[in-house]
Amino acid sequence: MNIMASTEHTVSIDKEATVGAGSQTLMRGLDVLEAIARETMSLPQLADHLELTKSTTHRLASALVERGYLAFTPRAGYRLGPKLLELGALAHIQADLIQIAREHLEALSASTEDTVHLGILEGDYALYLDKRPGRRRITISSQVGDRQPLTSTGLGKALMLDHSPAYWRERFEADQAGGSHPADWDVWVARMHSYVEAGRAFDLEENEDQIRCVAAPVRDAKNSIVGAISVSSAAQYMSDDRMDELSNTVREVANAVSRDIGWIGNQIKK
């Protein structure tokens, strides 16, 4: 019995040690970034600052250089890399967009009684930044932080309205291969062209059974699409006529958010 307890205790320690090693490496990597954020350092300076060996410091710094989080200049040393500038800009945009859009989203959810989403393009997916629940007793599976396919979601299509048909085709084929709701390319692309003309997009139960949505893009001062807003509800509350009626409303709200971040384009695209 004592032997078994000892064995179990050893296994537990080994697992903790494995997790701890990974966490320690991560924390050391963050220590490197924080040190370089204060000033450019050579390898010996960085090792001394972190109280690590030169070999360990070089391994950590080299990995960060490879991923773009640090940059290295001979005789000057390590400095922050372009990846951090990119992430910082994205974090700033996301934080500002969520804060600016929140009041508009809440008002839209209250007036429609439906669930409202805010999302942006992240890579080749729609990233959900915010969600305002509606008053109807409907469960919509989306969560803040979800990354959803572009071609089967209203948000995703709205985010792609300015992209080329070649990009649409690429994403369509990738999403279909990835398990999106089966769709016919000719039908899908014809709808996309109509969405571009209308300045908004629909999800016709393509991403979630019995759920439909109307979405419209949010634009910045350069008239570039930087996000999208959608109203989602059960198909029983989303007849074709109501989706047409909601189109103006969703576009208006998306344009209001756009104006708040500097857009000066047309008030409503029809």
Side-chain angles (χ1 to χ4, degrees):
M1 183 174 180
N2 289 336
I3 294 175
M4 291 178 63
S6 176
T7 301
E8 290 173 358
H9 181 64
T10 301
V11 171
S12 176
I13 290 176
D14 288 345
K15 289 181 178 179
E16 290 175 3
T18 301
V19 174
S23 298
Q24 186 180 52
T25 300
L26 174 60
M27 297 306 292
R28 283 178 172 175
L30 294 175
D31 288 341
V32 170
L33 291 176
E34 290 176 359
I36 299 303
R38 297 186 182 94
E39 60 178 316
T40 299
M41 292 186 187
S42 66
L43 178 61
Q45 290 173 327
L46 184 58
D48 288 344
H49 178 84
L50 298 174
E51 298 181 350
L52 297 173
T53 64
K54 289 183 180 179
S55 60
T56 298
T57 304
H58 183 264
R59 184 173 66 252
L60 292 168
S62 295
L64 292 169
V65 168
E66 183 179 347
R67 296 295 297 271
Y69 291 95
L70 290 182
F72 178 75
T73 303
R75 294 184 297 278
Y78 294 99
R79 57 182 170 79
L80 296 181
K83 187 66 175 179
L84 287 174
L85 294 175
E86 176 188 345
L87 293 179
L90 289 173
H92 182 70
I93 290 171
Q94 290 182 19
D96 282 355
L97 189 57
I98 293 171
Q99 183 177 4
I100 290 170
R102 177 62 62 83
E103 184 177 348
H104 295 288
L105 300 184
E106 291 177 344
L108 181 59
S109 178
S111 66
T112 62
E113 300 189 345
D114 293 313
T115 299
V116 176
H117 297 96
L118 170 70
I120 62 170
L121 185 66
E122 185 185 66
D124 293 319
Y125 292 89
L127 172 64
Y128 285 60
L129 294 182
D130 204 355
K131 177 180 180 179
R132 301 290 93 194
R135 297 176 182 173
R136 306 185 199 278
R137 294 182 178 179
I138 299 167
T139 300
I140 296 180
S141 63
S142 60
Q143 299 290 333
V144 173
D146 281 353
R147 297 168 73 245
Q148 295 289 343
L150 293 174
T151 60
S152 61
T153 57
L155 274 179
K157 294 171 193 172
L159 291 166
M160 288 195 297
L161 291 184
D162 286 355
H163 282 71
S164 68
Y167 180 78
W168 297 346
R169 184 64 183 256
E170 176 186 320
R171 293 317 314 154
F172 180 85
E173 292 178 352
D175 289 347
Q176 288 292 300
S180 287
H181 187 280
D184 178 84
W185 164 251
D186 291 333
V187 173
W188 186 92
V189 75
R191 287 174 176 166
M192 277 298 292
H193 283 296
S194 71
Y195 297 158
V196 171
E197 185 66 24
R200 57 92 179 103
F202 290 161
D203 170 359
L204 302 171
E205 302 180 53
E206 297 157 84
N207 193 58
E208 189 172 350
D209 288 342
Q210 298 300 310
I211 299 296
R212 287 181 153 200
C213 90
V214 179
V218 172
R219 297 179 180 273
D220 64 9
K222 297 179 181 179
N223 203 40
S224 299
I225 295 176
V226 295
I229 288 172
S230 71
V231 173
S232 303
S233 192
Q236 68 189 82
Y237 300 114
M238 282 288 203
S239 65
D240 292 345
D241 287 343
R242 184 168 186 248
M243 292 182 77
D244 287 336
E245 292 172 1
L246 278 174
S247 293
N248 278 338
T249 302
V250 177
R251 280 190 302 242
E252 287 174 351
V253 174
N255 286 339
V257 175
S258 299
R259 288 192 293 273
D260 285 350
I261 61 173
W263 181 68
I264 56 173
N266 296 329
Q267 297 300 301
I268 301 176
K269 181 176 179 180
K270 294 185 178 180

